[in-house]
Amino acid sequence: MTEKDPGLTRRLLLRAPAVGVAAAGVAVLSNPSAASAQAGPSMTYDVTTWVHSTNAAITCFTDIGALINDIIADIKKRQPNQSSKPGAVIYIPPGDYPLKTRVTVDVSYLTIRGDGHGFTSSSIRYNAGDTSAWHEIWPGGSRIRVENTDGKSEAFLVSRSGDPRLSSVVFDNFCLDGISFTPNQNSYANGKVGIRVDTANDAFRVERMGFVYLERALIIRDADALNVHGNFIAECGNCVELIGSGQASKVTDNHVGAGYIGYSIFAEGHQGLLIAGNNIFPRGKSLVHLRNTSRSSITGNRLHGFYPGMLDSDGVNKENLISGNHFRREPEPWAPMQPYDNGKDDLYGVMHLCGDGNMVTGNLFAYDVAPAKIKPSGAKPTMILVATGSNNHVSNNSVASNVAANAVVLDASTRGTKVIDSATASQFVTYATDYAFRATP
C-alpha cells in the first residue's frame, strides 16, 4: 500500500485510537528535518526517539538535559505564531537517564511526563552496609540522575522575562534523583536542585513526582494557582519551598519528609494557600513553616517529627486557619541520625506561632519523648507557643503526652489571645497580661 500511496499509512494512523496517534506523532518527531517538513497535529516528543538537531551523539542516554533543551528549541521553532501556541508534551519512558546539562523551560503549556515516580530510600541503602542481596538499590521508574556536569545546580530551571508570565507548565510522574550526598551521605547537602521556578507563573502543576537525595527538591517563586499534588518528596535537604509571594495555591496529598537541615513545606508571602491532606514525616527541621503568609489553611495533615517547631513561623502571619491536624512528636529512633537535630529545645513549642488573628483549632498533639531526652533537662515541654501577635484564637485542641506538658504558652508580647478548651489550668502558662482563658474541664 505504501508504494502506491505513501500518505495512506499516515492517514490510517491518524484515524487510529489515541495510543496509535501518540505513537505516530512520536515517529514523525523522531527526526528534526521531518518535523519541520511535516508539522503534523501531534506535539508529543519521546526522548528515546528524538534525534538532536546538531549533534546526533547527544541522546537521552548520554545527556537527557541537552536533549530536552533541543526539543524545547524545536517547539519554539514549530510554534512561532503568537496567537497559536498550544504547547507540547515531552514523554520520558521508564529508564535511567543521566542529566548533565540543566534544562531551561521558557515556554508555556509544556508538559514533561514520565511513567513512574520510582522513589526508593537511598538513605536506608547508604546506611545499610552490604546490599548485595537486595532486589534493587536505586530509584526506578522514569528516573533522571541529576549529575549536572555543566556547573549549574538545577536539573530544571523554569524562567522567562517579559509578559505574560509563564503558564500551565506541568511536571508529572517521573523521578529526580540527586544520587549522593558525598562525602557524608547523612548531610542532606550536595548543592543540587530538582526544579527551580524563578519567575512569576500561573497554573503550574507538579504531580506524581518522585524527588530523592537533592539538597533542594522543589523551589517555586511567585506562584499563582499552583498545584503540588500527589508527589513523593523525601530524603532531600528541603522539599517544597514556595518563595517570594503567591496566591490561591495548593500543596495537597503529598508524602513529604525533609532532612534536619531544611523544610518539608515552606511558604513565604502567600495568600490563600491550602496545605491539606499531606503525610509529613521526619526529619525536617520544621515540617510546615510559614513566613509572612496569610489567609491560608493548614488542615487535615498528619505531621510526624523528631524535633520541636514541627509547625513553625516567623514574620507576621495573619488570619490563617490551622485545624484538624495530627501532630506526633517523638525522639529520633534511628542510630545513624541521632547525632543531629534542629537546634531548638522543647520550650520552643511543637507549634510556634507568630502573627495576628490566626485560628488554631481541633488539633491533636501526641507527645512521646522520654524525660531524659527533653531539652532543657527537667523542662515541661510546650505544645503550642503563641510567640508574637494579637487576637489569635486557640480552641478545642487536645494533648496526649507521656510527661507533664504545657499545652499553651503565651509570650509577653502577645495581646488579646483567646485560649478556649485547649489546656487545663495546670497546662496553661502566660507571660502576657491581655488574654482570655477558659480551661478544659
Side-chain angles (χ1 to χ4, degrees):
M1 287 190 298
T2 54
E3 291 181 357
K4 296 180 180 179
D5 184 357
L8 179 59
T9 301
R10 177 169 173 78
R11 289 199 299 274
L12 289 172
L13 284 169
L14 290 175
R15 290 200 299 270
V19 172
V21 173
V26 167
V28 171
L29 292 173
S30 66
N31 186 295
S33 59
S36 300
Q38 302 182 52
S42 175
M43 289 298 301
T44 298
Y45 297 75
D46 185 325
V47 297
T48 63
T49 59
W50 180 254
V51 179
H52 194 279
S53 61
T54 61
N55 185 353
I58 297 174
T59 72
C60 61
F61 302 110
T62 63
D63 185 359
I64 194 173
L67 191 80
I68 292 176
N69 282 333
D70 191 65
I71 291 173
I72 292 172
D74 188 74
I75 294 167
K76 290 192 279 189
K77 181 173 67 176
R78 294 183 65 203
Q79 298 184 9
N81 187 343
Q82 181 190 48
S83 62
S84 180
K85 290 189 175 181
V89 174
I90 298 174
Y91 174 57
I92 305 170
D96 284 336
Y97 307 98
L99 185 144
K100 303 179 187 299
T101 304
R102 179 180 72 186
V103 176
T104 299
V105 176
D106 58 357
V107 294
S108 292
Y109 322 128
L110 176 65
T111 294
I112 303 176
R113 184 179 67 225
D115 261 329
H117 70 65
F119 181 90
T120 196
S121 173
S122 290
S123 180
I124 293 175
R125 173 172 55 83
Y126 277 120
N127 285 283
D130 182 14
T131 58
S132 60
W134 285 27
H135 293 290
E136 63 269 339
I137 59 172
W138 288 106
S142 299
R143 174 189 174 224
I144 291 178
R145 305 193 309 269
V146 182
E147 299 176 3
N148 283 81
T149 57
D150 62 349
K152 309 297 185 183
S153 60
E154 304 91 356
F156 290 86
L157 175 66
V158 185
S159 178
R160 184 177 72 183
S161 60
D163 293 321
R165 58 191 168 180
L166 285 165
S167 180
S168 306
V169 173
V170 178
F171 294 91
D172 178 32
N173 205 25
F174 61 94
C175 178
L176 288 171
D177 179 7
I179 306 169
S180 172
F181 291 134
T182 304
N184 178 3
Q185 298 299 343
N186 295 326
S187 70
Y188 293 95
N190 59 10
K192 295 180 181 179
V193 178
I195 300 169
R196 184 195 300 270
V197 180
D198 212 31
T199 55
N201 54 90
D202 193 7
F204 276 32
R205 302 202 324 261
V206 181
E207 299 176 340
R208 303 188 299 168
M209 294 286 291
F211 297 82
V212 62
Y213 259 52
L214 299 153
E215 186 165 336
R216 303 174 76 179
L218 179 63
I219 310 167
I220 302 182
R221 178 182 298 279
D222 300 340
D224 191 345
L226 166 71
N227 194 16
V228 179
H229 179 82
N231 303 284
F232 204 116
I233 313 174
E235 298 178 5
C236 296
N238 295 269
C239 290
V240 178
E241 300 174 74
L242 308 181
I243 64 173
S245 63
Q247 61 176 338
S249 292
K250 298 193 303 178
V251 180
T252 56
D253 294 344
N254 302 284
H255 289 84
V256 187
Y260 57 87
I261 68 169
Y263 310 105
S264 292
I265 299 173
F266 173 83
E268 176 183 52
H270 269 252
Q271 303 276 337
L273 174 65
L274 176 62
I275 299 174
N278 299 287
N279 201 323
I280 310 175
F281 41 82
R283 49 189 53 82
K285 70 178 181 182
S286 59
L287 305 189
V288 175
H289 192 109
L290 305 178
R291 176 175 297 161
N292 301 322
T293 287
S294 301
R295 301 169 194 91
S296 297
S297 298
I298 300 91
T299 61
N301 301 285
R302 182 256 185 184
L303 303 97
H304 181 197
F306 295 152
Y307 319 125
M310 290 172 56
L311 194 156
D312 205 350
S313 60
D314 65 272
V316 179
N317 304 278
K318 294 187 174 183
E319 300 164 29
N320 295 298
L321 174 64
I322 303 169
S323 71
N325 301 288
H326 185 269
F327 294 83
R328 174 67 170 173
R329 164 79 165 94
E330 294 180 303
E332 172 66 70
W334 196 32
M337 290 297 179
Q338 286 176 350
Y340 309 103
D341 61 27
N342 68 353
K344 295 180 170 65
D345 63 33
D346 287 284
L347 300 179
Y348 190 80
V350 172
M351 179 187 299
H352 187 94
L353 184 64
C354 299
D356 304 327
N358 301 288
M359 186 169 190
V360 180
T361 184
N363 301 284
L364 172 61
F365 295 83
Y367 185 92
D368 188 7
V369 177
K373 294 185 177 181
I374 294 172
K375 300 178 182 178
S377 179
K380 288 178 68 175
T382 298
M383 301 299 107
I384 301 171
L385 174 63
V386 183
T388 67
S390 62
N391 300 315
N392 291 296
H393 186 110
V394 181
S395 69
N396 295 96
N397 299 285
S398 180
V399 173
S401 176
N402 68 312
V403 297
N406 292 323
V408 181
V409 176
L410 308 182
D411 271 355
S413 65
T414 61
R415 302 180 308 279
T417 309
K418 298 177 180 65
V419 181
I420 299 171
D421 296 338
S422 292
T424 64
S426 65
Q427 294 174 322
F428 176 64
V429 175
T430 180
Y431 300 97
T433 57
D434 179 9
Y435 66 92
F437 174 62
R438 185 176 76 191
T440 303

